[in-house]
Amino acid sequence: MRTFLSWFTSIFLNSIALLIVDQLFESFYIENFKTALLASIILSILNFIVRPILILLTLPITVMTLGLFILVINAITLMLAQKLMGNAFVIDGFGIALLASILISLISLILHKLIGDTAKQSK
């Protein structure tokens, strides 16, 4: 039960991060919160299945770039998610996907820290 709650919290916070990035860039569009929630679920599945394969296939370049190529893999994963979503989730170009993936990660990290700190204080 705790694992499901943790996964759902992560999906919810990633949805909020997607909506924040949507507000920051005109070339990053998400229709509504329901779409952001679905996009977060798709991203979660892609991160579980596709991302490890991409990391394994690009291991030499990832090592040569000291791990910075992971940012490109994150952008590719984000582009795959938007392709699966159709017109409800649109990213205009790889550059914005790269920048958006970095911001989504940072915003999500901050939101997780805020929620984690609140949960610890309530105990």
Side-chain angles (χ1 to χ4, degrees):
M1 181 68 167
R2 177 141 171 87
T3 305
F4 174 76
L5 185 60
S6 175
W7 177 78
F8 183 76
T9 302
S10 182
I11 294 296
F12 183 78
L13 294 178
N14 277 347
S15 300
I16 293 171
L18 284 168
L19 289 172
I20 291 171
V21 172
D22 171 53
Q23 295 299 311
L24 294 174
F25 301 106
E26 287 183 18
S27 53
F28 187 97
Y29 171 75
I30 291 192
E31 197 170 276
N32 52 34
F33 182 73
K34 186 173 131 182
T35 304
L37 206 56
L38 182 59
S40 290
I41 292 169
I42 290 172
L43 275 170
S44 175
I45 293 167
L46 288 174
N47 280 334
F48 184 73
I49 297 170
V50 176
R51 190 170 180 263
I53 295 168
L54 288 175
I55 290 172
L56 188 62
L57 291 174
T58 60
L59 195 57
I61 194 166
T62 302
V63 170
M64 286 182 358
T65 61
L66 302 175
L68 290 176
F69 197 75
I70 296 291
L71 298 173
V72 174
I73 292 172
N74 289 345
I76 291 169
T77 307
L78 191 59
M79 292 293 285
L80 284 171
Q82 70 100 27
K83 288 283 186 204
L84 294 171
M85 296 281 302
N87 290 334
F89 179 22
V90 178
I91 303 171
D92 293 333
F94 186 76
I96 195 70
L98 185 63
L99 185 57
S101 69
I102 293 169
L103 287 175
I104 290 166
S105 296
L106 290 174
I107 293 167
S108 184
L109 176 72
I110 291 167
L111 291 173
H112 277 88
K113 290 288 182 186
L114 289 173
I115 296 298
D117 290 342
T118 309
K120 288 179 185 176
Q121 290 173 357
S122 66
K123 286 186 177 180

